[in-house]
Amino acid sequence: MDSQSIKHRTKDPHQSDTPKETDMRTYSRRDKRMAMAKRGIRSLAIAVAFPLSLTLFNIYFFGSRNGYGPISTKPFWFPPMWALHFTCLASSFLMGLSAWLVWAEGGFHKKPAALSFYLAQLGLGLIWDPIVFRMDATWVGLVVCLAMFGSLVGCSRQFKEVNPIAGDLVKPSLTWAAFLAIVNLKLVFL
């Protein structure tokens, strides 16, 4: 072997390969990842807990006190009140999760309309139950329900552009809002 063709690698004087320093660099990277993961879990918990707590508050204080009201014959396909409220909670959970996925991707900065649609559907979802079941204003409730459906369509489109999974998570809420609109329409004519 020709010794003149061998290249000798020199060591950078500023870089040390002692085991302690290598472990410290690895340890600090691990700490940074753990801190980032803790912040992500904390923000996810807030993003899901906030709409859930608002929905629970709404159900507890402004929910239906007498079911579907003075309806003599309720259609068989009307959900019981506990199922209606439970599905509203599930929809709120899914919307919070999908909004967090969009926020984590920076989607609310890229697409500010997505935040507007999300806040609109959250607000409309919160006022629908008291309008229909407390105030017995079924026509107004129908308008609110249709507006909520429209804001969910906007959420689905905007969220899908940022994160396809977030757009897919909106679809069950969209289906639920369509079912609520049908129930509300039936309540108008009863």
Side-chain angles (χ1 to χ4, degrees):
M1 182 166 173
D2 191 15
S3 63
Q4 293 177 354
S5 65
I6 297 178
K7 293 187 179 180
H8 180 57
R9 293 187 180 190
T10 60
K11 196 181 212 183
D12 187 11
H14 299 293
Q15 183 179 7
S16 172
D17 280 341
T18 62
K20 279 187 176 181
E21 290 183 15
T22 305
D23 289 343
M24 291 301 285
R25 283 194 303 255
T26 306
Y27 184 69
S28 66
R29 274 191 232 137
R30 188 178 318 132
D31 282 346
K32 288 178 186 176
R33 286 186 197 143
M34 288 298 287
M36 190 181 311
K38 285 181 184 177
R39 283 194 308 262
I41 290 173
R42 190 177 311 132
S43 66
L44 173 62
I46 291 169
V48 170
F50 180 70
L52 269 178
S53 62
L54 285 177
T55 305
L56 275 172
F57 178 84
N58 186 39
I59 290 169
Y60 185 74
F61 287 106
F62 305 113
S64 59
R65 57 184 156 180
N66 58 356
Y68 288 102
I71 299 174
S72 60
T73 58
K74 180 177 78 165
F76 73 94
W77 51 270
F78 270 35
M81 292 311 287
W82 65 266
L84 187 131
H85 290 146
F86 179 76
T87 312
C88 286
L89 284 170
S91 176
S92 180
F93 171 79
L94 287 174
M95 287 306 296
L97 181 61
S98 63
W100 179 80
L101 287 170
V102 171
W103 172 81
E105 297 275 336
F108 290 137
H109 293 293
K110 295 175 192 171
K111 304 238 177 234
L115 181 61
S116 301
F117 281 125
Y118 173 69
L119 292 176
Q121 76 79 28
L122 180 64
L124 291 167
L126 290 173
I127 65 170
W128 178 81
D129 195 14
I131 287 174
V132 173
F133 295 118
R134 282 284 206 175
M135 295 186 269
D136 293 325
T138 53
W139 278 105
V140 177
L142 182 61
V143 171
V144 167
C145 198
L146 292 174
M148 180 173 54
F149 183 80
S151 64
L152 281 167
V153 168
C155 275
S156 178
R157 289 183 179 169
Q158 294 289 319
F159 286 9
K160 188 170 274 201
E161 290 178 13
V162 176
N163 187 331
I165 295 171
D168 289 340
L169 284 174
V170 176
K171 289 179 182 176
S173 299
L174 197 58
T175 305
W176 176 243
F179 179 73
L180 281 181
I182 293 168
V183 168
N184 200 160
L185 184 65
K186 185 69 173 172
L187 286 172
V188 166
F189 292 115
L190 286 179

